């Protein structure tokens, strides 16, 4: 089949290549010249045969919203737009309703796989009507990982792809996926820090690598931590500043709205906020309070950023 793909960045470009390798035609457009096949969204639509499927793979928020709205002015009834970015699930109903007025279908696709997806395939969580999902199914089949086989050699269906529900369900599922990812990364990071903090353990990268086989905490994320430590054993080349894409926040917001306790995911989100502070105002207040009520020592910061000890306040 034909696929129009908007956004040929790290993930979009690899997705286009994987779909092409599966024997489908991909016509790509990107704002930056280079790998794009056409020079405009209009040119992309003109190059596709009806009924068209156009996959949007651009940053979430305004870039996605404006792209979907522009496509709504260019496409025809019976066409389908797929949002494969990390949009908030509440945007999906807005897009679907706007496009439905023009007879255009809409599918939201949560995509996981990162820069490794070209080689390994992508996990896909999609939302939309059965009719619209069916129009895109050949592309989903091309993108998802190869199906594993059972002990008898039979292919196990459903792995790597799920039609999660109506419009919005795909991005909601991906949001929760990323919230879990936050907590897993935080746990691995805390374990690494404790190992590195003691003199008893002499080979921290080796310990973490030993966990990748035969243990209950093995995972692809753990494999990637091993790779990072092989490249930089002390992680000295990077700072401890960690951004959040927004999906961790949205997961916690939904947990609050639905009264679902999420202490691990919430803590991992707040830890990212803490990573951006050179000197935490919260911990300054904690130190000041300890000094006030218990006479515990505090440290002052001189103009060069050093921390000479300050004598204890009388108890």
């Amino acid at each position: 089949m034909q696929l129009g793909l908007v956004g040929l960045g790290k993930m979009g470009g690899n997705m286009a290549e994987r779909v092409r390798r599966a024997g489908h035609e991909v016509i790509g457009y990107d704002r930056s010249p280079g790998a794009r096949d056409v020079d405009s969204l209009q040119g992309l639509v003109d190059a596709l045969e009806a009924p068209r499927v156009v996959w949007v793979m651009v940053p979430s928020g305004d870039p996605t919203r404006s792209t979907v709205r522009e496509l709504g002015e260019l496409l025809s009834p019976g066409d389908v737009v797929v949002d494969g970015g990390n949009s908030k699930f509440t945007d999906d109903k807005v897009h679907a309703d706007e496009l439905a007025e023009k007879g255009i279908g809409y599918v939201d696709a949560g995509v996981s796989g990162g820069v490794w997806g070209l080689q390994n395939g992508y996990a896909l969580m999609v939302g939309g009507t059965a009719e619209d999902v069916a129009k895109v199914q050949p592309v989903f089949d091309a993108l998802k990982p190869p199906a594993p086989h059972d002990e008898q050699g039979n292919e196990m269906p459903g792995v790597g792809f799920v039609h999660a529900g109506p419009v919005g369900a795909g991005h909601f599922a991906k949001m929760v996926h990323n919230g879990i990812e936050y907590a897993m990364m935080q746990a691995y990071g805390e374990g690494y820090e404790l190992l590195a903090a003691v003199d008893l353990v002499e080979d921290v990268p080796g310990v973490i690598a030993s966990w990748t086989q035969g243990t209950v905490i093995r995972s692809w994320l753990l494999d990637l931590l091993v790779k990072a430590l092989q490249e930089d054993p002390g992680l000295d080349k990077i700072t401890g500043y960690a951004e959040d894409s927004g999906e961790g926040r949205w997961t916690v917001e939904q947990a609050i709205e639905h009264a679902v306790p999420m202490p691990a995911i919430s803590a991992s989100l707040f830890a990212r906020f803490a990573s951006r502070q050179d000197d935490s105002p919260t911990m300054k207040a904690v130190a000041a309070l300890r000094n006030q009520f218990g006479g515990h020592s505090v440290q002052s910061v001189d103009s060069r950023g050093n921390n000479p000890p300050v004598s204890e306040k009388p108890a």
Side-chain angles (χ1 to χ4, degrees), residues 179-231:
I180 294 170
E181 182 183 284
Y182 275 46
M184 290 177 66
M185 287 192 287
Q186 184 68 22
Y188 286 138
E190 291 174 6
Y192 164 77
E193 181 173 356
L194 180 56
L195 288 169
V198 302
D199 295 329
L200 184 63
V201 177
E202 297 178 348
D203 184 2
V204 173
V207 169
I208 292 175
S210 76
W211 295 342
T212 62
Q213 300 295 325
T215 75
V216 295
I217 63 167
R218 63 188 185 275
S219 72
W220 185 29
L221 280 174
L222 187 62
D223 294 341
L224 294 176
L225 178 56
V226 170
K227 183 176 184 293
L229 290 171
Q230 288 172 342
E231 296 171 354

Side-chain angles (χ1 to χ4, degrees), residues 62-129:
D62 288 338
T64 293
R65 296 185 194 109
S66 62
T67 301
V68 171
R69 290 192 179 109
E70 187 173 351
L71 286 170
E73 300 299 321
L74 299 173
L75 294 171
S76 304
D79 295 344
V80 175
V81 173
V82 181
D83 176 8
N86 284 333
S87 294
K88 192 171 185 179
F89 71 96
T90 51
D91 285 352
D92 294 318
K93 189 176 187 307
V94 176
H95 293 155
D97 290 346
E98 290 176 349
L99 294 173
E101 294 177 357
K102 306 173 187 296
I104 301 167
Y106 178 83
V107 172
D108 58 288
V111 182
S112 180
V115 297
W116 299 89
L118 174 59
Q119 174 183 342
N120 299 332
Y122 300 87
L124 303 161
M125 300 143 269
V126 307
T129 67

Side-chain angles (χ1 to χ4, degrees), residues 4-13 15 29-30 54-60 64 67 82-86 109-112 122 143:
L5 184 59
V6 182
L8 300 172
K10 291 180 180 178
M11 280 192 69
M15 290 168 65
Y29 167 70
D30 194 276
V54 179
W55 189 302
V56 179
M57 205 69 191
V58 300
S60 61
T64 293
T67 301
V82 181
D83 176 8
N86 284 333
V111 182
S112 180
Y122 300 87
L143 288 171

